[in-house]
Amino acid sequence: SSSGGGGGHQRQQRPKRRGKGLSFSESTAVEEWDEDSLAKAKETGSKKVHLVLFYSSRGFYDEGRDKDFTGKLFEEATSNVQFVVSVNKVDCEQQETLCKAEGHKLSSVQKKAALALYIGGKKKAWKGGKLSQLTEKLLGNFVDAHLPTNVVKTLYSEAEAESWLQRECGGSKAKAGWGLCVLFVDEANAFKDSLKFLYSTFAHKYQGKVSFARVKSARSFRTESLAEISKSAPAVVAFCNGQLSQAEVFPSDVTKPLSRIASRFGTWIMSFYGGKKCANMIDLGKLAAEDLRTLPLKTLKSLLQKNGRACTNCIEKEDFVKELEIISNRVVDKTEL
């Protein structure tokens, strides 16, 4: 027997309603994320910082509480931030499994986009209010709030500054792999908001390669190079090999907006890549053999390259030291006699 008396007709399924969703310009700098990107971002100890927007390309944002949020607004808010951190997006219509694994159901994302930060392999959700009110300053503060507190060392005296330089960048036990120490010389508490975000994020990114610190004021410093820098504070200065004499000041006004300095700061830091620039600042003629022995092995190798020597037979650190002594005419190379 049949129930419903001759009904037999199945109810037609309504076509899924399609919303406007979020769209981005063809030339957008916001990169599309996939599962490989996620896996790299979640690696323990990852130094790269990622901002990720989970959204729908056919959601109903124009009907919701955050109806003024658009792809264009997100692009504008992150236009300068993208020089400091990786800015990404995930269309949950295309990457539903990925979104669900990260706690973002498609049905939820279709109503409201979600923003998250991936730092040190961990995810931090945005809790800063409506995305339609997103600004560069809010994003910077969001990132800065989740950075490890020890990435930028605060120094309070000239003695502390000199000790930090030697410990981090001078000698064979230097912690900064590139032999580079970057010091923010503050004045009138300029170290805040976008500038603090920029400096602290780079400190996190280059941890182990470059050491970053901040001194609240250098007005009372007597060391000539530091006293001179304090006159143009706030300023950022790089010191090579723990030496106050091997200094280079960042050539831009750090009080300018992020749009003016973010890209330049990144390029400037990368000019010291691998320690070669710091090695080039060393004057072999003024270095005693004992000083050579305090330099990291990587710096010794860079010094040899700078002077056109390969030293294929060098194995131990002492071999590199002796080769450099030959170059500086302190030791006679017996093979040339």
Side-chain angles (χ1 to χ4, degrees):
S1 62
S2 62
S3 60
H9 294 293
Q10 290 187 350
R11 185 181 295 173
Q12 280 191 333
Q13 198 171 8
R14 287 183 182 178
K16 285 185 178 179
R17 204 159 62 95
R18 187 184 182 102
K20 291 181 180 179
L22 287 190
S23 59
F24 297 84
S25 63
E26 288 184 13
S27 59
T28 184
V30 183
E31 298 180 6
E32 200 66 45
W33 237 29
D34 56 23
E35 290 183 1
D36 288 341
S37 312
L38 174 65
K40 287 178 183 177
K42 294 184 86 169
E43 286 175 3
T44 307
S46 172
K47 298 298 179 193
K48 198 168 183 181
V49 179
H50 306 263
L51 272 173
V52 186
L53 180 71
F54 295 90
Y55 76 103
S56 163
S57 55
R58 48 188 296 174
F60 306 98
Y61 304 126
D62 54 327
E63 300 174 9
R65 289 190 307 159
D66 211 3
K67 61 183 179 181
D68 294 326
F69 181 57
T70 62
K72 184 181 179 182
L73 188 151
F74 186 71
E75 288 173 320
E76 289 174 351
T78 58
S79 61
N80 299 310
V81 171
Q82 53 116 356
F83 292 112
V84 187
V85 303
S86 174
V87 179
N88 313 274
K89 57 187 171 68
V90 181
D91 183 359
C92 294
E93 299 288 347
Q94 306 294 326
Q95 300 274 2
E96 188 173 353
T97 305
L98 187 157
C99 290
K100 192 174 181 181
E102 290 305 292
H104 304 290
K105 289 182 180 179
L106 180 58
S107 55
S108 298
V109 174
Q110 284 176 336
K111 295 173 186 173
K112 185 180 179 183
L115 183 63
L117 175 72
Y118 289 80
I119 183 167
K122 295 179 181 178
K123 179 188 175 189
K124 307 289 181 182
W126 167 260
K127 295 177 181 177
K130 290 183 178 182
L131 291 178
S132 57
Q133 296 171 354
L134 206 59
T135 62
E136 184 180 282
K137 182 179 176 180
L138 287 174
L139 282 172
N141 290 343
F142 175 45
V143 174
D144 190 52
H146 293 291
L147 287 168
T149 54
N150 61 343
V151 289
V152 176
K153 176 82 174 170
T154 302
L155 309 171
Y156 296 94
S157 68
E158 190 168 9
E160 270 193 12
E162 291 179 355
S163 174
W164 167 75
L165 276 174
Q166 283 304 309
R167 182 179 66 252
E168 298 292 323
C169 300
S172 57
K173 295 181 180 178
K175 295 180 181 179
W178 294 358
L180 182 66
C181 280
V182 179
L183 182 66
F184 185 97
V185 182
D186 203 353
E187 196 62 54
N189 197 28
F191 192 69
K192 59 185 179 182
D193 298 333
S194 294
L195 188 51
K196 185 171 182 280
F197 152 67
L198 170 73
Y199 195 74
S200 301
T201 307
F202 272 92
H204 179 266
K205 184 177 180 179
Y206 291 104
Q207 211 167 14
K209 299 181 179 75
V210 183
S211 185
F212 287 76
R214 168 207 175 207
V215 62
K216 289 191 172 182
S217 177
R219 284 188 176 186
S220 62
F221 287 10
R222 295 178 183 177
T223 306
E224 189 176 341
S225 56
L226 287 174
E228 193 62 33
I229 292 160
S230 70
K231 293 176 184 176
S232 57
V236 177
V237 59
F239 295 98
C240 279
N241 311 303
Q243 300 297 312
L244 287 167
S245 59
Q246 297 174 19
E248 183 177 306
V249 178
F250 176 53
S252 295
D253 181 353
V254 295
T255 62
K256 295 286 185 185
L258 202 59
S259 59
R260 297 284 297 276
I261 62 168
S263 177
R264 291 178 186 178
F265 190 73
T267 302
W268 182 65
I269 293 293
M270 281 302 291
S271 73
F272 293 90
Y273 179 82
K276 288 185 179 180
K277 191 172 183 178
C278 282
N280 288 339
M281 287 190 181
I282 297 172
D283 185 346
L284 270 180
K286 294 180 180 178
L287 271 185
E290 305 83 68
D291 294 329
L292 278 172
R293 289 183 177 87
T294 67
L295 295 173
L297 184 58
K298 186 181 285 186
T299 304
L300 295 176
K301 289 178 179 178
S302 294
L303 270 173
L304 281 173
Q305 285 181 345
K306 173 190 172 185
N307 288 276
R309 299 289 278 260
C311 194
T312 52
N313 296 322
C314 290
I315 300 171
E316 302 294 331
K317 184 175 181 179
E318 190 62 26
D319 299 332
F320 291 94
V321 171
K322 285 179 179 176
E323 191 71 18
L324 286 165
E325 286 183 302
I326 291 167
I327 293 170
S328 58
N329 297 318
R330 289 202 196 89
V331 175
V332 177
D333 186 354
K334 292 177 182 177
T335 62
E336 294 179 3
L337 293 177

